[in-house]
Amino acid sequence: MRILCTNDDGIHAPGLTIVEQIARALSDDVWVVAPELDQSGVSHSLSLNDPLRLREVGPRHFAVRGTPTDCVIMGARHILGETMPDLVLSGVNKGRNVAEDVVYSGTIAGALEGTILGLPSFALSQEFSVENRNAPQWDTALKFGPPIVRKVIDAGVPKNTVINVNFPACAPEEVAGIRVTRQGKRNLGFLKVDQRRDGRGNPYFWIGFERLVQIDVPAEGTDLAALAARYVSVTPLRLDRTDDEFSQALTATLK
């Protein structure tokens, strides 16, 4: 099985080493194509107005000065030659990708592009807590990643479906189990715009995050609830975003 690995944290991110180890637990034919620089939050952007610079970092390891989407396209359509990968693994992201994160995440986007290319694709993310922000529990992803990927592949990943896997912020022995979940929704009040001034007194802005005084209780069955209870969350995401229920209502309205 030929596996293409990518991420959005950049070619030197610790999580990329982890995803490669997960891939090597499944196959010896592993290729790594990742962004030259951190591309967190770029979503499913594609470089159309800028050239892509390709650098070989080592055997079967390449850095692309572009987005995760660019990396998957370059890997599958150019670097690997005529033999397409059988599987795309994107991650392991430092930090969870749940709820609305799936819209912004470059990690999710890398897996989405693999799905568009017709390949079984997984987005893998390791949640961290305030206490272990600088030292996430990578061992949790390493322990649970390979068997989850194997079992999902054996079950058969439907076309146009991305598998979003999030590992909880705890040691492997503290994981309560694995849950198949749906995408959750949370209070977006944690987003903030931070205004500052440069050395010349000109204003500039950062979009950032702040801790909420009160955190909403996540709905049961969601990715948020699973992580809160120390379960690995496995969420199938559809590439087709059509709202079928509202389409039916709209059809009746517009007749």
Side-chain angles (χ1 to χ4, degrees):
M1 177 169 58
R2 174 167 280 197
I3 303 176
L4 174 61
C5 297
T6 193
N7 74 349
D8 72 349
D9 289 331
I11 189 68
H12 299 299
L16 189 63
T17 301
I18 303 303
V19 82
E20 184 178 357
Q21 291 182 48
I22 291 172
R24 292 197 180 282
L26 304 169
S27 171
D28 293 327
D29 193 359
V30 177
W31 297 71
V32 176
V33 184
E36 183 80 60
L37 305 172
D38 189 336
Q39 296 291 309
S40 298
V42 301
S43 188
H44 203 171
S45 57
L46 179 66
S47 297
L48 297 177
N49 298 312
D50 298 304
L52 298 178
R53 306 292 182 183
L54 179 66
R55 181 168 67 94
E56 187 170 1
V57 180
R60 298 188 180 184
H61 287 68
F62 298 85
V64 175
R65 190 168 285 269
T67 68
T69 302
D70 297 330
C71 291
V72 173
I73 293 173
M74 286 290 290
R77 298 292 192 188
H78 176 70
I79 296 171
L80 271 64
E82 296 181 358
T83 306
M84 290 276 284
D86 302 297
L87 175 67
V88 173
L89 298 181
S90 183
V92 174
N93 189 67
K94 181 184 176 183
R96 64 188 187 178
N97 277 306
V98 294
E100 292 84 0
D101 294 342
V102 304
V103 178
Y104 304 112
S105 169
T107 301
I108 300 290
L112 279 172
E113 190 58 37
T115 300
I116 289 173
L117 294 174
L119 309 169
S121 301
F122 292 71
L124 307 170
S125 302
Q126 176 62 59
E127 183 185 41
F128 59 78
S129 63
V130 175
E131 294 76 18
N132 69 2
R133 179 183 180 86
N134 295 320
Q137 296 279 359
W138 297 118
D139 286 348
T140 301
L142 278 174
K143 177 177 178 179
F144 290 92
I148 287 175
V149 173
R150 282 195 198 97
K151 290 178 180 179
V152 174
I153 290 175
D154 289 344
V157 180
K159 286 187 176 181
N160 300 322
T161 297
V162 177
I163 308 301
N164 183 27
V165 182
N166 283 272
F167 306 100
C170 62
E173 61 272 15
E174 296 173 335
V175 174
I178 302 169
R179 284 181 176 172
V180 178
T181 60
R182 68 181 188 276
Q183 181 183 335
K185 180 164 179 58
R186 65 182 169 214
N187 182 353
L188 287 182
F190 70 97
L191 282 174
K192 68 175 182 177
V193 177
D194 186 9
Q195 179 175 346
R196 304 180 187 181
R197 292 190 178 274
D198 63 21
R200 296 186 176 184
N202 298 313
Y204 69 95
F205 304 87
W206 285 104
I207 293 178
F209 306 91
E210 60 186 350
R211 297 187 67 181
L212 296 175
V213 176
Q214 182 175 356
I215 300 176
D216 293 340
V217 177
E220 275 302 314
T222 64
D223 44 19
L224 290 166
L227 291 181
R230 293 188 170 181
Y231 282 84
V232 178
S233 169
V234 180
T235 312
L237 302 173
R238 292 294 304 275
L239 192 62
D240 182 353
R241 299 182 183 181
T242 305
D243 187 332
D244 292 322
E245 184 177 347
F246 185 60
S247 291
Q248 294 175 10
L250 198 59
T251 298
T253 301
L254 296 177
K255 279 185 178 179

